[in-house]
PDB file of all heavy atoms in Angstrom:
ATOM      1  N   PHE A  92     104.877 107.618  98.717  1.00  0.00           N
ATOM      2  CA  PHE A  92     104.618 108.621  99.754  1.00  0.00           C
ATOM      3  C   PHE A  92     103.376 109.453  99.375  1.00  0.00           C
ATOM      4  O   PHE A  92     102.486 109.705 100.175  1.00  0.00           O
ATOM      5  CB  PHE A  92     105.788 109.558  99.939  1.00  0.00           C
ATOM      6  CG  PHE A  92     106.989 108.923 100.645  1.00  0.00           C
ATOM      7  CD1 PHE A  92     106.959 107.605 101.015  1.00  0.00           C
ATOM      8  CD2 PHE A  92     108.095 109.685 100.934  1.00  0.00           C
ATOM      9  CE1 PHE A  92     108.031 107.049 101.683  1.00  0.00           C
ATOM     10  CE2 PHE A  92     109.176 109.163 101.592  1.00  0.00           C
ATOM     11  CZ  PHE A  92     109.145 107.830 101.965  1.00  0.00           C
ATOM     12  N   ALA A  93     103.385 109.952  98.119  1.00  0.00           N
ATOM     13  CA  ALA A  93     102.326 110.852  97.696  1.00  0.00           C
ATOM     14  C   ALA A  93     100.962 110.178  97.633  1.00  0.00           C
ATOM     15  O   ALA A  93      99.939 110.774  98.003  1.00  0.00           O
ATOM     16  CB  ALA A  93     102.650 111.431  96.320  1.00  0.00           C
ATOM     17  N   ILE A  94     100.945 108.893  97.172  1.00  0.00           N
ATOM     18  CA  ILE A  94      99.666 108.177  97.047  1.00  0.00           C
ATOM     19  C   ILE A  94      99.154 107.694  98.375  1.00  0.00           C
ATOM     20  O   ILE A  94      97.996 107.898  98.728  1.00  0.00           O
ATOM     21  CB  ILE A  94      99.837 106.975  96.065  1.00  0.00           C
ATOM     22  CG1 ILE A  94     100.141 107.545  94.674  1.00  0.00           C
ATOM     23  CG2 ILE A  94      98.551 106.153  96.056  1.00  0.00           C
ATOM     24  CD1 ILE A  94     100.547 106.417  93.700  1.00  0.00           C
ATOM     25  N   GLY A  95     100.052 107.096  99.161  1.00  0.00           N
ATOM     26  CA  GLY A  95      99.627 106.524 100.440  1.00  0.00           C
ATOM     27  C   GLY A  95      99.602 107.496 101.594  1.00  0.00           C
ATOM     28  O   GLY A  95      98.889 107.246 102.584  1.00  0.00           O
ATOM     29  N   GLY A  96     100.363 108.580 101.494  1.00  0.00           N
ATOM     30  CA  GLY A  96     100.422 109.542 102.619  1.00  0.00           C
ATOM     31  C   GLY A  96     101.319 109.122 103.749  1.00  0.00           C
ATOM     32  O   GLY A  96     101.311 109.757 104.816  1.00  0.00           O
ATOM     33  N   TYR A  97     102.106 108.040 103.587  1.00  0.00           N
ATOM     34  CA  TYR A  97     102.968 107.540 104.652  1.00  0.00           C
ATOM     35  C   TYR A  97     104.341 107.231 104.097  1.00  0.00           C
ATOM     36  O   TYR A  97     104.508 107.028 102.908  1.00  0.00           O
ATOM     37  CB  TYR A  97     102.411 106.255 105.287  1.00  0.00           C
ATOM     38  CG  TYR A  97     101.176 106.440 106.122  1.00  0.00           C
ATOM     39  CD1 TYR A  97      99.948 105.991 105.643  1.00  0.00           C
ATOM     40  CD2 TYR A  97     101.259 106.973 107.395  1.00  0.00           C
ATOM     41  CE1 TYR A  97      98.816 106.108 106.420  1.00  0.00           C
ATOM     42  CE2 TYR A  97     100.115 107.099 108.185  1.00  0.00           C
ATOM     43  CZ  TYR A  97      98.890 106.670 107.687  1.00  0.00           C
ATOM     44  OH  TYR A  97      97.770 106.778 108.427  1.00  0.00           O
ATOM     45  N   CYS A  98     105.330 107.206 104.986  1.00  0.00           N
ATOM     46  CA  CYS A  98     106.622 106.598 104.712  1.00  0.00           C
ATOM     47  C   CYS A  98     106.666 105.318 105.584  1.00  0.00           C
ATOM     48  O   CYS A  98     105.763 105.125 106.379  1.00  0.00           O
ATOM     49  CB  CYS A  98     107.784 107.534 104.993  1.00  0.00           C
ATOM     50  SG  CYS A  98     108.088 107.812 106.758  1.00  0.00           S
ATOM     51  N   PRO A  99     107.670 104.456 105.435  1.00  0.00           N
ATOM     52  CA  PRO A  99     107.685 103.237 106.267  1.00  0.00           C
ATOM     53  C   PRO A  99     107.576 103.528 107.770  1.00  0.00           C
ATOM     54  O   PRO A  99     106.821 102.789 108.473  1.00  0.00           O
ATOM     55  CB  PRO A  99     109.073 102.593 105.920  1.00  0.00           C
ATOM     56  CG  PRO A  99     109.267 103.050 104.491  1.00  0.00           C
ATOM     57  CD  PRO A  99     108.733 104.444 104.405  1.00  0.00           C
ATOM     58  N   GLY A 100     108.258 104.549 108.255  1.00  0.00           N
ATOM     59  CA  GLY A 100     108.224 104.814 109.697  1.00  0.00           C
ATOM     60  C   GLY A 100     106.875 105.359 110.152  1.00  0.00           C
ATOM     61  O   GLY A 100     106.304 104.916 111.174  1.00  0.00           O
ATOM     62  N   THR A 101     106.338 106.327 109.419  1.00  0.00           N
ATOM     63  CA  THR A 101     105.072 106.930 109.837  1.00  0.00           C
ATOM     64  C   THR A 101     103.911 106.004 109.669  1.00  0.00           C
ATOM     65  O   THR A 101     102.874 106.158 110.349  1.00  0.00           O
ATOM     66  CB  THR A 101     104.823 108.251 109.045  1.00  0.00           C
ATOM     67  OG1 THR A 101     104.806 107.963 107.643  1.00  0.00           O
ATOM     68  CG2 THR A 101     105.874 109.282 109.360  1.00  0.00           C
ATOM     69  N   SER A 102     104.029 105.020 108.781  1.00  0.00           N
ATOM     70  CA  SER A 102     102.929 104.017 108.662  1.00  0.00           C
ATOM     71  C   SER A 102     102.820 103.196 109.951  1.00  0.00           C
ATOM     72  O   SER A 102     101.685 102.850 110.374  1.00  0.00           O
ATOM     73  CB  SER A 102     103.135 103.110 107.436  1.00  0.00           C
ATOM     74  OG  SER A 102     104.260 102.265 107.621  1.00  0.00           O
ATOM     75  N   VAL A 103     103.966 102.875 110.536  1.00  0.00           N
ATOM     76  CA  VAL A 103     103.931 102.132 111.841  1.00  0.00           C
ATOM     77  C   VAL A 103     103.327 103.035 112.911  1.00  0.00           C
ATOM     78  O   VAL A 103     102.516 102.537 113.743  1.00  0.00           O
ATOM     79  CB  VAL A 103     105.350 101.711 112.216  1.00  0.00           C
ATOM     80  CG1 VAL A 103     105.345 101.010 113.591  1.00  0.00           C
ATOM     81  CG2 VAL A 103     105.960 100.796 111.186  1.00  0.00           C
ATOM     82  N   VAL A 104     103.671 104.326 112.918  1.00  0.00           N
ATOM     83  CA  VAL A 104     103.085 105.232 113.908  1.00  0.00           C
ATOM     84  C   VAL A 104     101.589 105.369 113.654  1.00  0.00           C
ATOM     85  O   VAL A 104     100.795 105.377 114.624  1.00  0.00           O
ATOM     86  CB  VAL A 104     103.773 106.605 113.773  1.00  0.00           C
ATOM     87  CG1 VAL A 104     103.097 107.617 114.731  1.00  0.00           C
ATOM     88  CG2 VAL A 104     105.248 106.514 114.123  1.00  0.00           C
ATOM     89  N   GLY A 105     101.189 105.437 112.378  1.00  0.00           N
ATOM     90  CA  GLY A 105      99.762 105.521 112.087  1.00  0.00           C
ATOM     91  C   GLY A 105      99.025 104.303 112.555  1.00  0.00           C
ATOM     92  O   GLY A 105      97.908 104.416 113.113  1.00  0.00           O
ATOM     93  N   LEU A 106      99.595 103.133 112.351  1.00  0.00           N
ATOM     94  CA  LEU A 106      98.958 101.906 112.854  1.00  0.00           C
ATOM     95  C   LEU A 106      98.845 101.891 114.388  1.00  0.00           C
ATOM     96  O   LEU A 106      97.844 101.514 114.941  1.00  0.00           O
ATOM     97  CB  LEU A 106      99.755 100.667 112.368  1.00  0.00           C
ATOM     98  CG  LEU A 106      99.290  99.301 112.889  1.00  0.00           C
ATOM     99  CD1 LEU A 106      97.835  99.036 112.454  1.00  0.00           C
ATOM    100  CD2 LEU A 106     100.186  98.192 112.416  1.00  0.00           C
TER     101      LEU A 106
END
Side-chain angles (χ1 to χ4, degrees):
F92 286 4
I94 294 171
Y97 289 106
C98 74
T101 57
S102 67
V103 177
V104 176
L106 175 61

